[in-house]
Amino acid sequence: MDVIDIFRKGGPAMWPLLALSILALSVIVERLGFWFKIFSQEREIVERVLDAAQQNWQSATELARKFSYQPAGRFLYAPLRLSTPDPEVFRLALESTAEDEIASMRQGEKILEAAIALSPLLGLLGTVLGLIQSLGSITLGQISSASSAGVTTGIGESLISTATGLIVAIVSLVFYRLFQGFAVNQIKVFRRAGSELELLYRQYWVNLQDSPTAPPTSAMTTPEVIPGRGSDRRFSFDLGNRRAVNPEPPVNPQTNINPGYSVPPQSPSQREDSAAPEV
């Protein structure tokens, strides 16, 4: 029997099984190509970015941006593209990006899960329908060798759907577990690469905090000591630089009076009354 003949004898349950097998096969082929690309370049990307981070963070950022078409490149580029972030922000960027990348790596697993769960049930349904059709065509009074042979042939054909459903479920389960193992291994790779990159950045952050940029000397001039209250010098502030200037001469009430005006002399009693008590 050829494939078309087997498919025809499998009954109506073969059509949903065919649809499930096509979906599962398309997911399997797509995921195999996806993981092959990852495994062929992932180790090189991680090693090159980490080596560049030990020398220059700018070159590491450019290198990670260059490999951003790969999940490992996007994972390492997410914290590097930030402008001197806090170490906690750096770690959060790594964790959030890793979650997104792992979620994208699990695409298609729902289709495989559906194929694993539904294929055996559809095959069993096809078998039950085939048995009903085979056993319903005979009666107890018409049992003979010819009729029993036809029933046996019908039962054998009805089991085709069960076998097909089991084959689809087994193949889908094998690749489903394989892709899950790849995802778990990728989590380990992300954790190891992220820990090394975070360690390098924390060392860089500590060195950056320990060696701040020194302010210019003009802004750190030592202020002069202010003289006493009776001194004739004071400060005037000019654009942040303190310099001492001579004060204006005090105003003398007697010398600034109009010369044409004569101050009347005061009697001794008025001078004593107007004198302020001495504290």
Side-chain angles (χ1 to χ4, degrees):
M1 293 187 298
D2 56 358
V3 178
I4 297 178
D5 192 16
I6 294 175
F7 184 83
R8 182 179 57 82
K9 291 180 178 180
M14 296 294 290
W15 291 103
L17 286 174
L18 177 62
L20 282 177
S21 62
I22 292 175
L23 289 176
L25 183 61
S26 62
V27 170
I28 290 171
V29 173
E30 189 272 333
R31 290 289 94 183
L32 285 177
F34 173 79
W35 287 111
F36 178 77
K37 292 180 180 179
I38 289 179
F39 293 149
S40 62
Q41 299 180 358
E42 181 182 49
R43 180 174 298 180
E44 179 184 0
I45 292 173
V46 172
E47 291 179 355
R48 292 183 62 181
V49 173
L50 292 178
D51 291 341
Q54 296 177 0
Q55 306 296 329
N56 189 346
W57 285 97
Q58 184 64 29
S59 61
T61 303
E62 294 297 329
L63 193 61
R65 184 179 63 84
K66 178 182 177 182
F67 293 113
S68 59
Y69 63 91
Q70 284 279 3
R74 291 191 296 267
F75 169 71
L76 297 175
Y77 179 63
L80 292 176
R81 65 183 177 181
L82 303 177
S83 178
T84 317
D86 187 83
E88 292 298 325
V89 178
F90 192 90
R91 181 178 58 83
L92 289 176
L94 285 173
E95 292 179 354
S96 60
T97 308
E99 292 178 359
D100 295 338
E101 294 299 330
I102 294 300
S104 65
M105 292 176 184
R106 295 184 180 276
Q107 291 180 357
E109 289 188 356
K110 297 298 182 181
I111 297 177
L112 294 180
E113 289 178 356
I116 294 170
L118 295 178
S119 295
L121 297 178
L122 290 173
L124 183 60
L125 177 62
T127 299
V128 171
L129 294 178
L131 290 175
I132 292 174
Q133 184 178 2
S134 299
L135 297 177
S137 60
I138 62 173
T139 60
L140 294 177
Q142 297 177 349
I143 296 177
S144 62
S145 60
S147 60
S148 61
V151 172
T152 304
T153 304
I155 294 175
E157 293 177 354
S158 63
L159 292 176
I160 294 176
S161 60
T162 301
T164 304
L166 290 176
I167 291 173
V168 174
I170 291 171
V171 174
S172 301
L173 180 60
V174 169
F175 284 97
Y176 174 75
R177 292 300 184 183
L178 181 64
F179 296 151
Q180 277 194 334
F182 290 163
V184 171
N185 181 68
Q186 198 68 19
I187 293 175
K188 296 179 181 178
V189 172
F190 280 1
R191 184 181 293 116
R192 182 172 62 253
S195 299
E196 294 180 7
L197 186 64
E198 183 181 0
L199 180 60
L200 291 175
Y201 184 77
R202 286 184 179 273
Q203 294 176 354
Y204 167 75
W205 178 264
V206 170
N207 296 332
L208 188 65
Q209 296 298 319
D210 291 342
S211 59
T213 304
T217 54
S218 59
M220 299 178 63
T221 54
T222 304
E224 299 179 4
V225 180
I226 302 178
R229 296 177 59 90
S231 174
D232 57 349
R233 299 182 64 85
R234 61 193 175 100
F235 283 106
S236 67
F237 296 89
D238 184 14
L239 299 178
N241 295 327
R242 297 180 178 180
R243 58 186 179 85
V245 298
N246 293 326
E248 298 178 358
V251 179
N252 190 353
Q254 297 295 334
T255 59
N256 292 340
I257 298 178
N258 189 356
Y261 176 78
S262 59
V263 180
Q266 296 180 354
S267 62
S269 62
Q270 292 177 348
R271 288 196 298 270
E272 293 175 0
D273 295 336
S274 61
E278 184 176 0
V279 180

